[in-house]
């Protein structure tokens, strides 16, 4: 027997609740994948058989947040930086992870075409969170994990970029 719902909103979450759910999922994916809350500040890299090394930089631990940057060890010839990259803030108390900024590869953007500009702040946040969610899922499928992380050489040793 089927049941009719008088109000659709009574069943579906609001857009904000859905976004917060995605932030929560990103937090738990990061914790399961790399456990940045257990790592001291510094740079780490993960290398598996796909030859796409991942760099995780734990920038800073605060009482309620952790700031990290996640990127591949691929240089973008146009910008000179690593691509793709995401600057992420993990909120320990709320157990959510928000993408503060991300940078995709310009070559990929040219091949696929640029995304239409986001009309609202909410749309931009959804786009950034979806990007991180898909990327973390892909990294897990490729075998990246806390077990594959190695601490990057210290300052005085061979530069990190030479490892890529």
């Amino acid at each position: 027997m089927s049941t009719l719902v008088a109000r659709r909103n009574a069943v579906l979450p609001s857009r904000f609740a859905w976004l917060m759910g995605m932030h929560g999922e990103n937090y738990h994916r990061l914790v399961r994948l790399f456990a940045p809350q257990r790592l001291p500040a510094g740079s780490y890299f993960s290398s598996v058989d796909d030859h796409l090394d991942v760099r995780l930089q734990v920038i800073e631990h605060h009482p309620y947040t952790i700031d990290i940057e996640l990127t591949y060890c691929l240089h973008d010839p146009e910008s000179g930086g690593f691509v793709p990259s995401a600057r992420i803030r993990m909120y320990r108390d709320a157990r959510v992870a928000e993408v503060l900024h991300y940078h995709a590869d310009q070559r990929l953007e040219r091949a696929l075409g640029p995304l239409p500009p986001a009309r609202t702040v909410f749309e931009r946040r959804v786009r950034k969170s979806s990007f991180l969610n898909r990327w973390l899922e892909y990294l897990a499928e490729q075998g990246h994990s806390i077990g594959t992380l190695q601490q990057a050489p210290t300052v005085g040793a061979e530069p990190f970029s030479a490892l890529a």
Side-chain angles (χ1 to χ4, degrees):
M1 176 189 260
S2 71
T3 305
L4 284 176
V5 176
R7 289 185 4 216
R8 188 176 101 127
N9 294 343
V11 178
L12 298 175
S14 70
R15 294 180 336 150
F16 179 74
W18 179 79
L19 178 61
M20 289 299 104
M22 187 176 293
H23 285 342
E25 186 176 333
N26 286 342
Y27 176 89
H28 291 289
R29 282 182 192 259
L30 277 166
V31 167
R32 280 192 312 269
L33 201 56
F34 296 121
Q37 75 282 5
R38 296 189 318 193
L39 299 172
S43 292
Y44 303 85
F45 67 95
S46 173
S47 184
V48 295
D49 294 338
D50 66 355
H51 303 291
L52 290 173
D53 294 346
V54 173
R55 177 179 171 221
L56 172 72
Q57 183 170 358
V58 179
I59 298 167
E60 204 166 358
H61 286 273
H62 301 282
Y64 299 105
T65 62
I66 306 166
D67 288 338
I68 63 173
E69 186 172 74
L70 185 64
T71 185
Y72 278 121
C73 296
L74 299 172
H75 284 282
D76 181 11
E78 293 179 14
S79 70
F82 291 115
V83 288
S85 66
R87 179 82 184 260
I88 305 160
R89 178 162 293 148
M90 297 176 68
Y91 297 87
R92 297 176 199 234
D93 51 349
R95 296 188 178 174
V96 295
E98 178 182 16
V99 179
L100 303 175
H101 175 76
Y102 77 96
H103 176 70
D105 189 342
Q106 297 298 320
R107 294 168 293 186
L108 179 64
E109 202 170 280
R110 276 196 305 274
L112 299 176
L115 290 170
R119 294 184 307 261
T120 64
V121 171
F122 179 81
E123 241 181 69
R124 281 193 293 274
R125 287 184 174 168
V126 167
R127 193 172 287 168
K128 290 188 290 189
S129 192
S130 296
F131 163 79
L132 179 61
N133 196 281
R134 289 190 311 259
W135 192 19
L136 292 173
E137 182 178 12
Y138 177 78
L139 290 176
E141 288 172 359
Q142 296 306 307
H144 293 282
S145 70
I146 186 71
T148 62
L149 273 184
Q150 297 177 351
Q151 191 156 15
T154 57
V155 178
E158 185 179 343
F160 184 78
S161 59
L163 298 172

